[in-house]
Amino acid sequence: MSAGLYPRRPPAARWATTVLGLALCQVTAVQAQGLGVASLGATGGLTIPSAYVLGSGDLALSLGNYQDPKFGKLDRQRNFSMGIGLLPRVELFGRFAEYSNRFAISPGAFNLTGGISDISANLKWQLPIELRGLPRLAVGATDIGGGAVLFSSKYAVASDEYGPLRWSLGYARGKPALGQAKGAKALDGVFGGAEFKLGSSRATLLAETDGTQRHAGLRYYSEVLPWLGDAQLVGTLQRSFGATNLAGRAADATSFNVSLIVPLGTADKTRQARVDADAKPLPSLAPMVQAGAAPATGVMVATAQDRLDDLARALRATGLDRVRVGTLGDQLVVEYENHRYLHNEADALGVVLGLAAEYAPAGTVRAHAITRKAGLVVSETSVEVAAYRSFLRDGDAARVQDTLGFGRLPGYAAVQWAAGEAGAGRRRTWLRMELKPLLNYTLGTEYGAFDYSLAAQVRSTVGLWKGAEVYADVVQRLAHSDNVEPGRVFASSLHRNGLKTVALQQSFWLGPRLFTSVGAGRYNYDDRGAEGESIMFLPWNDDTLHLKGSYMRHQADVLPRIEEAYAASYRWRFNPQTWIEAGYQQYTDRSTGPALTFTRWFSDVAVQLFARKGGNNTFVGLELSLPLGPRQAMGAGPLQITGTPRYAQSIRTRLTTGGNTGNFVDDAAVRPVNLNYKPEVELLNSGRIAPDYIKSQVQRMRESFYLYAREKIN
């Protein structure tokens, strides 16, 4: 055959045969632990996806400079991606790719230098097939939806490991960039690759083909880093071989990629193992002295009042506020208010129930914890004392979960509160200050890769009467890009210094299952108005109904302008970690339409996918929310300074249709009602107060006791 009939690079089929041949070699070494992230935004090799996926709750952050040469020769190549193991066997990646010849231009000027600035989403599903001798199988798609589609493909891939060898083989159907017949395709045809572990090191060698060009590289997996939340760093250096541009000219290049893989949650078994390995053990259980029993000769026995005094002192020493203890027959009752353990109310509950069980007076059968916020009862939890004391020692959660109880304490009015300070419920915090960052940004526009305005917000809150608080928000701008300067293209994103909000908020229960919080005051610098939310807890399950709204009258214009936004929704709790919420909204731009959100909780981090339709516009996006600040913040005192229990940042894109083809930046379009005071965050543990959720947190409660309260036991 004439050599001229074939390209210089080996055909993909020849590479696939090589990969399969290597896979059949029987070896005994162990593959390096961990997963790498391919440049296209998926777990895999250098440029190709594998059939492996991120573990549920694992977050992958990556940056690199690989660029497919078929997109032209450009001076700047940058790839950023963020992936999440959204569900078991399902990973979702977002990718921002910028390939450009950007150079210094006047701020706000339109960039006419050419290149690519693209945001895309990638999804991969590992099939639930696990048979001996069968490799892992997955299907996926890249560059889903959006406006200008540049990296779109659909693929199926198989992967497996044999000793130190990990291999992948798949097939993809790619679409030409921008739908042009001769446009570049990111992943198309047969692809495959192999990764080989180098001896006992944590380094691997990789070789692969993406169907059009070959790649080889070196990858290193770090050890798990406990100081970084058990994260793992993965670094990759790679080189392309036989790469050509669309004109057929050689375009081999060297590139790198660095990934950080962070588990967002902590498994119950891990929490239990850490406590058992590191914590100072409690004394072995002795039979509890029955109430009224005579002490042994010469033995000093603490009275019930002594035990209650010790319990109240220990609770105050852990930083809780408005502590009050008492008894109701054979039940121990503890009231408290928590503004110290802001990641999760389960931490405070673990401290309270642990200390209550250990300090319970003789004859106590159950401990009842009453959680207050702004002096208002928001949840009540009880447990059998003997079961909880055993649980603190052996970590066996089954029995203690069976003894957990929820709901109002019958006969609360008859509680005998302890004498003196222990039963006073004295308030120790008079002013709370919360520090929170604010970020407005645009990503991947024709004017700049990333334009932003960063500010700090300080919220000062003073409690008044039961359920009432007055708060003020002050904003100070910290930094911003040139394009958000006044008069520039994104000037509306520039944060404004000064007093943003001062308002009075009143929260209350309208019956045992209807919680309402309303506020009135000055909002958004120049608005006068009111806002509020009502939440109905359904009696037959943990689902909730939500009604929220805001009415603002803007004062700065010559003619006052009214902004109204309302929402009604139903939240279905599939399980304590997975919520689906559907409803109908009037958005801030007065458009109306349905909204759907899917929320997954990984410990205290929430990942939310949303779709909102208002008029002719439909936006889809992702929001990531998490606490900012230490798990144990500043304790109760006259002044209490903390981080924020919930910081949320989102990214969204407009879905293009035949009648709406432009994915233009429009910050004001289809924005849902955004309450300045979020009752679920401020008072209801970000919506995580249902009984099934509390039951799922018992290992965390045990962990928090040993971390923050164990030393308070004599």
Side-chain angles (χ1 to χ4, degrees):
M1 294 184 184
S2 170
L5 296 176
Y6 296 91
R8 291 177 298 164
R9 56 184 180 277
R14 189 180 305 171
W15 273 75
T17 302
T18 303
V19 170
L20 287 175
L22 289 172
L24 296 175
C25 297
Q26 297 300 311
V27 286
T28 58
V30 178
Q31 176 63 272
Q33 296 298 310
L35 293 175
V37 177
S39 59
L40 59 73
T43 49
L46 303 172
T47 63
I48 65 173
S50 70
Y52 299 104
V53 294
L54 292 170
S56 182
D58 284 353
L59 178 72
L61 303 172
S62 300
L63 65 90
N65 68 341
Y66 172 78
Q67 181 218 312
D68 191 319
K70 294 188 292 295
F71 289 97
K73 181 175 177 57
L74 300 163
D75 296 334
R76 178 184 295 181
Q77 303 93 23
R78 296 192 293 187
N79 281 301
F80 302 93
S81 69
M82 183 181 78
I84 181 75
L86 191 63
L87 292 166
R89 301 181 182 273
V90 176
E91 70 176 25
L92 176 67
F93 267 79
R95 177 193 182 195
F96 171 51
E98 188 197 18
Y99 311 147
S100 70
N101 290 322
R102 294 189 191 274
F103 52 85
I105 58 176
S106 300
F110 192 83
N111 178 42
L112 298 175
T113 59
I116 292 171
S117 189
D118 184 75
I119 302 172
S120 57
N122 307 329
L123 185 68
K124 188 190 338 179
W125 174 44
Q126 186 185 79
L127 302 182
I129 301 173
E130 293 188 14
L131 298 176
R132 186 177 181 84
L134 189 69
R136 302 281 186 179
L137 303 172
V139 293
T142 62
D143 203 351
I144 304 168
V149 176
L150 296 166
F151 306 104
S152 178
S153 68
K154 297 178 177 63
Y155 62 87
V157 61
S159 300
D160 208 346
E161 294 185 19
Y162 291 88
L165 180 71
R166 177 185 291 167
W167 62 267
S168 294
L169 180 65
Y171 181 78
R173 290 292 299 272
K175 290 183 178 180
L178 301 176
Q180 299 174 356
K182 296 183 179 181
K185 296 180 180 180
L187 186 66
D188 190 54
V190 176
F191 63 88
E195 182 176 7
F196 194 85
K197 183 176 183 294
L198 298 178
S200 60
S201 72
R202 300 191 64 83
T204 62
L205 284 175
L206 298 95
E208 65 185 42
T209 175
D210 63 6
T212 61
Q213 56 186 305
R214 304 186 305 276
H215 304 268
L218 178 68
R219 177 171 286 169
Y220 178 78
Y221 299 87
S222 77
E223 298 280 356
V224 170
L225 306 173
W227 57 271
L228 199 58
D230 291 338
Q232 184 181 40
L233 277 170
V234 182
T236 304
L237 186 66
Q238 68 187 73
R239 176 76 180 177
S240 59
F241 297 92
T244 59
N245 58 27
L246 285 177
R249 297 188 181 91
D252 291 338
T254 301
S255 57
F256 75 92
N257 188 78
V258 178
S259 301
L260 179 69
I261 316 293
V262 185
L264 298 180
T266 303
D268 282 349
K269 289 184 178 180
T270 302
R271 293 187 191 276
Q272 181 178 352
R274 286 177 178 175
V275 169
D276 293 342
D278 301 333
K280 178 182 177 181
L282 288 166
S284 300
L285 283 175
M288 289 193 69
V289 179
Q290 297 299 313
T297 304
V299 176
M300 296 289 292
V301 177
T303 67
Q305 181 64 44
D306 292 336
R307 303 288 286 180
L308 295 178
D309 287 341
D310 289 343
L311 172 58
R313 278 193 293 269
L315 290 168
R316 288 193 295 269
T318 63
L320 299 175
D321 201 8
R322 302 195 188 196
V323 171
R324 183 159 72 150
V325 300
T327 58
L328 179 64
D330 59 4
Q331 297 187 77
L332 172 62
V333 183
V334 179
E335 286 189 350
Y336 70 97
E337 190 160 317
N338 167 48
H339 294 286
R340 186 178 198 186
Y341 307 96
L342 295 180
H343 285 203
N344 197 317
E345 199 65 37
D347 287 336
L349 188 59
V351 167
V352 170
L353 290 181
L355 289 174
E358 292 300 307
Y359 277 115
T364 301
V365 175
R366 293 188 71 81
H368 197 97
I370 300 175
T371 305
R372 291 182 177 271
K373 294 287 186 180
L376 189 71
V377 175
V378 293
S379 66
E380 302 189 29
T381 309
S382 65
V383 70
E384 184 182 297
V385 169
Y388 206 81
R389 296 187 78 208
S390 297
F391 167 62
L392 290 177
R393 288 158 175 80
D394 61 27
D396 184 358
R399 184 184 176 195
V400 76
Q401 286 175 325
D402 290 340
T403 71
L404 281 170
F406 306 91
R408 297 305 300 266
L409 173 65
Y412 173 81
V415 173
Q416 299 294 311
W417 299 108
E421 189 69 18
R426 199 178 307 282
R427 174 181 172 183
R428 294 193 295 159
T429 299
W430 295 94
L431 174 63
R432 300 197 316 274
M433 299 183 69
E434 174 192 300
L435 308 179
K436 178 180 181 179
L438 301 176
L439 176 65
N440 295 332
Y441 74 96
T442 61
L443 184 66
T445 71
E446 290 82 356
Y447 297 94
F450 180 69
D451 286 299
Y452 70 95
S453 175
L454 176 66
Q457 175 180 286
V458 179
R459 170 167 292 185
S460 302
T461 304
V462 175
L464 301 176
W465 52 86
K466 184 176 180 180
E469 296 177 303
V470 62
Y471 67 96
D473 295 335
V474 176
V475 174
Q476 176 60 51
R477 190 166 55 248
L478 300 177
H480 61 276
S481 61
D482 290 339
N483 280 336
V484 300
E485 287 277 1
R488 300 279 169 76
V489 61
F490 299 126
S492 61
S493 295
L494 184 65
H495 285 103
R496 179 175 160 186
N497 292 336
L499 179 64
K500 181 180 180 182
T501 304
V502 57
L504 172 67
Q505 194 79 18
Q506 177 68 60
S507 304
F508 47 88
W509 290 91
L510 291 171
R513 294 188 172 274
L514 182 58
F515 182 81
T516 299
S517 184
V518 294
R522 172 184 171 184
Y523 300 95
N524 302 322
Y525 304 100
D526 300 313
D527 295 347
R528 305 292 187 271
E531 62 177 28
E533 180 174 15
S534 287
I535 305 170
M536 176 175 285
F537 297 84
L538 300 182
W540 50 84
N541 57 25
D542 290 339
D543 297 352
T544 49
L545 286 170
H546 296 254
L547 293 173
K548 66 176 79 172
S550 66
Y551 177 91
M552 302 293 165
R553 185 182 178 90
H554 191 65
Q555 304 292 323
D557 298 334
V558 176
L559 295 176
R561 174 172 51 86
I562 304 299
E563 181 182 282
E564 298 175 82
Y566 307 101
S569 62
Y570 182 93
R571 181 181 296 167
W572 174 46
R573 285 176 167 84
F574 180 77
N575 60 41
Q577 288 75 41
T578 307
W579 305 347
I580 298 175
E581 188 167 346
Y584 197 83
Q585 304 210 23
Q586 175 177 300
Y587 300 100
T588 56
D589 62 356
R590 292 188 175 272
S591 65
T592 60
L596 180 68
T597 62
F598 172 84
T599 304
R600 280 278 287 170
W601 285 92
F602 305 103
S603 188
D604 300 317
V605 178
V607 179
Q608 183 183 95
L609 303 179
F610 61 83
R612 302 182 181 118
K613 178 175 174 57
N616 294 324
N617 296 313
T618 299
F619 286 86
V620 297
L622 179 143
E623 179 177 278
L624 186 70
S625 69
L626 69 163
L628 291 183
R631 186 173 170 185
Q632 183 190 47
M634 186 176 181
L639 172 64
Q640 191 174 21
I641 302 174
T642 68
T644 179
R646 187 73 24 207
Y647 173 76
Q649 195 68 56
S650 65
I651 184 170
R652 68 174 191 165
T653 186
R654 189 196 313 256
L655 289 184
T656 56
T657 63
N660 192 358
T661 58
N663 189 0
F664 302 109
V665 175
D666 189 348
D667 287 338
V670 195
R671 291 292 185 183
V673 55
N674 184 24
L675 302 178
N676 290 273
Y677 185 99
K678 297 175 173 58
E680 279 200 304
V681 172
E682 302 291 341
L683 307 176
L684 302 179
N685 197 33
S686 297
R688 299 169 295 168
I689 62 171
D692 282 353
Y693 179 79
I694 300 301
K695 287 182 178 181
S696 73
Q697 299 299 303
V698 292
Q699 289 294 350
R700 179 179 186 141
M701 290 156 59
R702 178 174 183 254
E703 178 190 53
S704 68
F705 167 78
Y706 277 98
L707 286 174
Y708 309 123
R710 171 62 185 90
E711 296 302 321
K712 307 300 185 292
I713 302 292
N714 295 329

